């Protein structure tokens, strides 16, 4: 079967000092990679119940990867070989459920998912698996959407043994919609801004039902602060975007307030010069995904940094 290990051709998850090493189908094309040098991951260990997903806390280096898989294989046909590989490596399965058994919509939006379009999830067609081995954890999410399948793998290793522990976290940046088939090399946010003129700040998390940015450290904001310090000739415009729920007038206000929240965090946490950062709200006028599906609407709710010159 084409699912099985094909070492010479399959996309591999690097074996970082005992980390889960998985072989994906031959047709898998890597889409994104995000690394947090030290963070906390709440590993889901039970179905959604009363709007909550039971979880277990793991701390360490967190690596998030996504792939797009062409073909007609079902989500379970893709996930089953990955589950077998984890068991062979000594991982204990904590949760193994299909969409309806997991909790459908509630579970999908109660767990961590890499933002669309890097990871697309159909709330009726996904399968989730979580497993642990000592202080290490891994979760696998597989879904079909738009004629293809998408795979997300999140790994956690104790920071003391992770190779990049103590180094600044770097988030991979990519051209949305363009799959990367070779090894993923993290690209500095500064380079993305200078080459493309703008970049989506994909690691931002806003409080539920609010325009206020959640507490915590965000790699993208740290990199923006460093960029402004190193390049005094530039300014930034932070532009908020929304989905199409509600009127355009309402969404312009919401998107601008979210952009202002990001600016406030930049100036307060990193002492960035407020005069070098402007904000704007575009509402729903510049979507990057379809607003007809939940995943697309989630992707469209974003803040982008736009490079300006004096």
């Amino acid at each position: 079967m084409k699912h099985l290990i094909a070492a010479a051709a399959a996309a591999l998850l690097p074996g970082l000092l005992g980390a889960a090493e998985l072989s994906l189908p031959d047709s898998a094309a890597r889409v994104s990679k995000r690394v947090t040098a030290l963070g906390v991951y709440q590993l889901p260990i039970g179905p959604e119940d009363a709007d909550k997903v039971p979880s277990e806390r793991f701390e360490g280096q967190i690596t998030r990867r996504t792939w797009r898989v062409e073909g007609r294989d079902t989500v379970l046909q893709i996930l089953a070989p990955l589950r077998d590989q984890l068991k062979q490596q000594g991982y204990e399965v904590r949760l193994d459920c299909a969409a309806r058994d997991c909790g459908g919509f509630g579970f999908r939006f109660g767990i961590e998912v890499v933002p669309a379009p890097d990871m697309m999830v159909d709330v009726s067609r996904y399968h989730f698996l979580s497993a642990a081995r000592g202080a290490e954890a891994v979760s696998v999410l597989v879904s079909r959407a738009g004629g293809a399948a998408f795979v997300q793998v999140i790994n956690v290793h104790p920071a003391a043994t992770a190779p990049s522990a103590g180094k600044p976290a770097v988030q991979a940046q990519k051209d949305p919609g363009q799959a990367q088939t070779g090894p993923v090399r993290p690209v500095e946010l500064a380079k993305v801004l200078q080459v493309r003129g703008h970049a989506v700040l994909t690691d931002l998390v806003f409080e539920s039902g609010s325009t206020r940015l959640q507490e915590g450290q965000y790699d993208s904001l740290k990199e923006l602060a460093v960029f402004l310090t190193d390049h005094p000739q530039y300014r930034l415009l932070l532009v908020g975007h929304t989905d199409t729920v509600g009127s355009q007038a309402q969404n312009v206000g919401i998107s601008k307030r979210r952009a202002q929240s990001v600016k406030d965090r930049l100036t307060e946490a990193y002492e960035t010069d407020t005069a070098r950062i402007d904000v704007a709200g575009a509402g729903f006028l510049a979507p990057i995904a379809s607003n007809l599906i939940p995943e697309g609407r989630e992707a469209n709710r974003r803040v982008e940094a736009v490079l300006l010159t004096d």
Side-chain angles (χ1 to χ4, degrees):
M1 294 176 63
K2 63 180 179 180
H3 298 29
L4 300 180
I5 299 175
L12 295 180
L13 293 177
L16 297 176
L17 295 182
E21 182 174 317
L22 302 177
S23 295
L24 274 72
D26 296 349
S27 58
R30 188 178 292 172
V31 176
S32 69
K33 174 184 176 183
R34 294 169 170 83
V35 178
T36 301
L38 180 61
V40 173
Y41 177 55
Q42 295 295 143
L43 180 74
I45 58 173
E48 179 265 341
D49 182 27
D51 296 327
K52 294 184 179 180
V53 176
S55 63
E56 183 176 347
R57 186 180 188 275
F58 285 83
E59 181 177 305
Q61 177 175 294
I62 307 173
T63 304
R64 305 167 177 88
R65 295 179 175 87
T66 62
W67 289 262
R68 179 186 175 100
V69 183
E70 301 297 340
R72 297 180 178 274
D73 291 343
T74 66
V75 293
L76 187 55
Q77 286 175 324
I78 295 172
L79 183 136
L82 304 180
R83 177 177 56 205
D84 292 342
Q85 293 172 49
L86 287 171
K87 289 181 177 179
Q88 291 170 5
Q89 294 175 37
Y91 281 84
E92 178 186 351
V93 173
R94 298 293 179 85
L95 178 62
D96 184 356
C97 58
R100 184 170 60 180
D101 296 330
C102 289
F105 180 92
F107 183 86
R108 154 65 182 88
F109 287 95
I111 65 172
E112 179 177 344
V113 178
V114 171
D118 292 352
M119 181 63 191
M120 303 292 285
V121 180
D122 183 328
V123 294
S124 64
R125 292 195 297 173
Y126 69 80
H127 202 108
F128 180 85
L129 172 76
S130 67
R133 183 179 64 183
E136 299 173 1
V138 61
S139 68
V140 182
L141 174 64
V142 183
S143 180
R144 292 202 63 87
F150 290 81
V151 179
Q152 168 186 289
V153 177
I154 300 179
N155 280 100
V156 184
H157 328 266
T161 61
S164 58
K167 295 181 181 179
V170 179
Q171 176 172 306
Q173 298 287 339
K174 54 175 276 298
D175 189 2
Q178 180 179 358
Q180 301 178 13
T181 57
V184 174
R185 296 183 178 180
V187 179
E188 294 180 5
L189 186 58
K191 292 182 180 178
V192 176
L193 283 171
Q194 291 175 302
V195 172
R196 298 180 58 198
H198 66 98
V200 179
L201 309 181
T202 57
D203 61 343
L204 302 182
V205 180
F206 291 88
E207 294 180 1
S208 179
S210 172
T211 59
R212 180 180 175 84
L213 192 63
Q214 280 191 7
E215 294 300 322
Q217 295 185 350
Y218 296 97
D219 293 340
S220 62
L221 300 189
K222 181 178 179 180
E223 292 181 49
L224 285 180
V226 173
F227 175 80
L228 288 174
T229 300
D230 293 344
H231 301 84
Q233 72 274 30
Y234 293 131
R235 293 184 296 113
L236 289 179
L237 173 64
L238 297 174
V239 184
H241 299 267
T242 67
D243 56 27
T244 53
V245 177
S247 70
Q248 171 63 354
Q250 290 174 322
N251 280 298
V252 166
I254 291 171
S255 57
K256 186 172 183 178
R257 289 194 293 273
R258 284 182 176 166
Q260 182 65 48
S261 180
V262 176
K263 175 181 178 178
D264 292 343
R265 184 65 59 83
L266 265 172
T267 56
E268 293 168 4
Y270 299 100
E271 299 182 351
T272 307
D273 184 359
T274 184
R276 297 177 62 196
I277 305 175
D278 296 323
V279 298
F284 53 62
L285 294 181
I288 58 174
S290 171
N291 279 297
L292 301 179
I293 58 175
E295 296 79 15
R297 292 193 291 273
E298 181 181 352
N300 290 331
R301 297 190 292 268
R302 68 197 191 278
V303 174
E304 294 191 28
V306 179
L307 190 60
L308 303 175
T309 56
D310 289 329

